[in-house]
Amino acid sequence: MNKHLNWLFRILFLLNIGAIFFLTFQSRADTLAMSKQVRDITAQTVAGSAEAASAAWWYNLKNFRQLAHLPEYFALGCTGLLAVRTFRAADMPFGRRRRGGAPAEYSRAGRLLLHCVYAWVCCLGVSCLDQACKHFLPTREFSLGDMGFDLLGYTCGILAVCGGLKLWEIWAAHKMRKGNYS
């Protein structure tokens, strides 16, 4: 993979983490105002107006704020897997070793699975740290429900990138069989 692309993926992952903690450390008033604004824009887009959407279960501000964790952590899962894939599998902790300590080679599926596990653990760490910070902030509260939505979001993000990578691999193999390299 291109060295510049590797750094881009790593920086995007760090920016995503920064955005999550920016939202965590916002004041309660700022958070509520932003949530209401995004909810109203979503209602306008989905239902045509806030009045039409007001009966929907997701229009309730508490439910909407929990649902907002899905796209936030979906992006974290996507960028997390792309960032983790920039490291070689043999260089990672707990990587397989041959006798004598030399790194073993992984199959493509094995590397992807290992990268998915590492990305999932990184995202879980970010989610736990986010909720721990909320526990200690006076205007925020710790919520296991939020962690569940975080888990769903980054797991779907990781799976989406895995699916995209597999489709890319199939497409590239098809082009190679056809002899069309451009």
Side-chain angles (χ1 to χ4, degrees):
M1 212 184 277
N2 185 337
K3 185 169 75 170
H4 299 294
L5 198 57
N6 289 347
W7 280 106
L8 175 68
F9 291 149
R10 293 171 189 170
I11 290 169
L12 285 174
F13 182 57
L14 292 175
L15 285 173
N16 207 321
I17 292 171
I20 288 170
F21 284 102
F22 171 77
L23 294 171
T24 297
F25 288 105
Q26 269 188 330
S27 71
R28 182 162 177 81
D30 289 343
T31 300
L32 286 174
M34 183 187 297
S35 296
K36 287 178 184 176
Q37 226 176 4
V38 173
R39 180 192 64 182
D40 291 341
I41 291 169
T42 304
Q44 184 73 25
T45 304
V46 172
S49 70
E51 293 78 29
S54 62
W57 64 271
W58 56 264
Y59 194 75
N60 176 315
L61 193 58
K62 183 180 183 332
N63 293 343
F64 187 80
R65 288 186 56 171
Q66 282 192 319
L67 286 172
H69 285 251
L70 290 174
E72 184 180 1
Y73 279 87
F74 181 86
L76 182 73
C78 291
T79 58
L81 180 56
L82 291 172
V84 167
R85 281 184 55 84
T86 64
F87 298 100
R88 290 182 335 145
D91 293 340
M92 296 184 161
F94 309 113
R96 287 190 325 182
R97 298 280 176 196
R98 293 187 185 127
R99 272 190 245 173
E105 291 299 317
Y106 287 87
S107 67
R108 275 191 178 160
R111 275 194 311 267
L112 182 59
L113 180 62
L114 185 66
H115 288 142
C116 286
V117 169
Y118 279 116
W120 195 85
V121 169
C122 289
C123 292
L124 178 65
V126 171
S127 177
C128 289
L129 188 60
D130 178 42
Q131 290 302 317
C133 289
K134 286 181 182 177
H135 178 71
F136 293 109
L137 291 172
T139 60
R140 305 301 296 268
E141 67 278 345
F142 176 85
S143 171
L144 283 175
D146 285 355
M147 286 188 77
F149 280 103
D150 297 350
L151 173 78
L152 183 62
Y154 59 76
T155 301
C156 288
I158 289 169
L159 291 175
V161 170
C162 282
L165 290 171
K166 187 62 181 169
L167 287 174
W168 178 266
E169 186 179 299
I170 291 169
W171 177 77
H174 177 71
K175 285 189 72 133
M176 292 294 282
R177 275 196 304 271
K178 293 273 196 182
N180 184 3
Y181 304 116
S182 57

